[in-house]
Amino acid sequence: MKKFLGYILSIIFWFCFGLSLIIFHPIQWLCLKFGGYNAHKKSVDILNACLVASYYTLFNRVTFIDNKCIPLGQPIIFVANHQSTFDIPPLIYFLRRFHGKFISKIELASGIPSISFNLKHGGAANIDRNDPKQSIAEILKLANNMKTKNWSAFIFPEGTRSKTGKMKAFHVGGIATLLKKNPNALVVPIAIKGSYEMVQYGMYPLTPFLHMTWEVLDPLDTKDKDIEEIVKLAEETIKQKVEK
């Protein structure tokens, strides 16, 4: 029954989701051209509020457990498990105060209304997985912006999405590059639960009547730990929340 309703509700969802992307593409362009970074960022924040709102057309419930103890004014590396494409809008919207940027596949930086524009012009690191030299250069550019502009970064160290909700091993690479340039950055785990179920049948039909949660955990104690230990600690901390 849930899958059957998904066929109907997914049409409404994709209409709302796609319309938001189409409408905000020229809005982003205008904001960037005439208002610069700050105006562009506000347009992206509003876009992602609309994208999150579209989840409710499936009668899916989003619970975002924020952490008000995380300070502003310093670089933060948000480390999260990855379950679906729909992990991203809540992160951007609910944590908008941190100016978080993504490490993303370069393929996503073209051809997708609004999303590609933001990845190309909003400060993301768009990496070519077949070109290690280009990937490192992009991540270093983001790391430098974090240092000079107090931006933050979102990173999914699993590398690919989990289709079952069971976490994959975290990779060190991206986090290591960011931390080497920003040794005083806070490393903050985020546990995402339930979003993989939204795409258990693929992009159509999407699954309705779900409860999905995003929980921002306390910053990790990184004192006297090397990068491998930090990444392992992040993985274990998130896993305790996701797979308990």
Side-chain angles (χ1 to χ4, degrees), residues 64-71 76 78 94-95 97-98 188-190 214-219:
F64 197 97
I65 304 170
D66 206 339
N67 190 330
K68 299 299 184 181
C69 296
I70 299 172
I76 297 169
F78 290 103
F94 289 106
L95 296 175
R97 65 190 185 276
F98 295 107
V188 177
I190 299 177
W214 286 250
E215 183 174 0
V216 183
L217 307 176
D218 290 333

Side-chain angles (χ1 to χ4, degrees), residues 42 74 80 104 165 168 200:
K42 287 180 181 177
Q74 71 178 98
S104 175
K168 301 175 183 179
Q200 63 181 312

Side-chain angles (χ1 to χ4, degrees), residues 4 8 34 57-58 81 90 98 103 106 108 118 163 166 185 204-205:
F4 172 75
I8 300 169
F34 297 106
T57 63
L58 293 164
N81 62 306
F98 295 107
I103 297 176
I106 197 169
L108 299 177
N118 183 41
K163 295 180 180 180
K166 186 174 178 62
Y204 185 83

Side-chain angles (χ1 to χ4, degrees), residues 25-41:
H25 191 90
I27 291 174
Q28 283 190 68
W29 184 87
L30 289 168
C31 287
L32 184 62
K33 184 173 179 63
F34 297 106
Y37 171 81
N38 287 329
H40 176 233
K41 182 185 178 302

Side-chain angles (χ1 to χ4, degrees), residues 49-103:
C50 293
L51 296 181
V52 173
S54 69
Y55 296 10
Y56 292 95
T57 63
L58 293 164
F59 294 91
N60 287 339
R61 186 153 57 100
V62 172
T63 297
F64 197 97
I65 304 170
D66 206 339
N67 190 330
K68 299 299 184 181
C69 296
I70 299 172
L72 294 170
Q74 71 178 98
I76 297 169
I77 303 171
F78 290 103
V79 180
N81 62 306
H82 196 16
Q83 296 192 343
S84 79
T85 302
F86 302 111
D87 294 340
I88 295 171
L91 295 175
I92 296 175
Y93 177 67
F94 289 106
L95 296 175
R96 60 193 180 276
R97 65 190 185 276
F98 295 107
H99 296 255
K101 314 301 174 184
F102 280 88
I103 297 176

Side-chain angles (χ1 to χ4, degrees), residues 94-136:
F94 289 106
L95 296 175
R96 60 193 180 276
R97 65 190 185 276
F98 295 107
H99 296 255
K101 314 301 174 184
F102 280 88
I103 297 176
S104 175
K105 295 185 296 184
I106 197 169
E107 293 87 350
L108 299 177
S110 61
I112 308 172
S114 283
I115 292 172
S116 295
F117 188 92
N118 183 41
L119 289 174
K120 192 177 292 184
H121 301 285
N126 301 306
I127 64 172
D128 183 347
R129 291 180 176 177
N130 297 317
D131 187 345
K133 187 175 180 180
Q134 183 271 353
S135 297
I136 292 171

